[in-house]
Amino acid sequence: MTTKPDARYETRYYQPEDESQVLELLRASLGEPDQRRRTSEFWRWKHFDNPFGPSLIRVAVDPGGRIIGLRAFLRWRFLRGDQIIQAMRPVDTATHPAWSGITARENILPHIILTICDSGTHSTLPARALILRDVFT
């Protein structure tokens, strides 16, 4: 008989020491169709060494300290006339298959949305009200 994992988990911001667990999570959740897509080098280039700045990343962690969920927003910059518009776009979302019925999205997404709004950065997501409605209802 299979038992469901404990539904308790915490969310927090990504830390550099999370990298190996995050890569394992991405492989388990999304597969690995192209070996270059799940390497440390690609992860660092995409989320930390890109020209627009580090991504905003939150993880969900189970009681044993294992990362079971991830939500990452990549920073972008747009130019409108002489004004630079800071923006973020969701690019990586993963939930460990053992936790697939218990999505970490509900706890991760509101924190990211509020952080984006508080920073004055624009999001390429649909209207904030729709997202908050989906998360909290």
Side-chain angles (χ1 to χ4, degrees):
M1 180 168 113
T2 306
T3 58
K4 291 222 174 224
D6 187 339
R8 294 173 303 169
Y9 58 88
E10 295 181 0
T11 64
R12 61 169 172 76
Y13 286 103
Y14 172 89
Q15 300 166 3
E17 57 269 17
D18 295 334
E19 182 177 297
S20 63
Q21 282 195 66
V22 163
L23 292 173
E24 288 175 27
L25 171 67
L26 291 170
R27 289 181 191 113
S29 175
L30 305 173
E32 192 162 35
D34 179 349
Q35 292 295 324
R36 294 173 292 155
R37 306 238 354 127
R38 307 281 184 245
T39 65
S40 291
E41 293 78 18
F42 181 77
W43 172 258
R44 288 184 208 134
W45 170 80
K46 180 179 181 180
H47 290 291
F48 303 103
D49 298 332
N50 72 67
F52 300 125
S55 295
L56 178 61
I57 305 170
R58 283 188 72 89
V59 295
V61 182
D62 74 9
R66 190 173 99 182
I67 294 176
I68 54 130
L70 163 82
R71 188 70 169 137
F73 280 65
L74 190 65
R75 293 182 189 275
W76 291 47
R77 288 190 199 135
F78 298 97
L79 188 60
R80 180 174 35 178
D82 60 355
Q83 179 186 16
I84 296 175
I85 299 171
Q86 303 287 336
M88 290 189 184
R89 180 173 188 258
V91 290
D92 289 317
T93 302
T95 302
H96 193 280
W99 289 74
S100 63
I102 306 164
T103 178
R105 180 176 181 260
E106 287 83 10
N107 277 342
I108 294 174
L109 196 54
H111 292 283
I112 291 176
I113 293 168
L114 294 174
T115 302
I116 290 170
C117 294
D118 290 346
S119 72
T121 302
H122 299 275
S123 174
T124 60
L125 288 169
R128 180 175 63 158
L130 294 175
I131 295 166
L132 294 174
R133 181 201 66 202
D134 290 344
V135 170
F136 292 115
T137 60

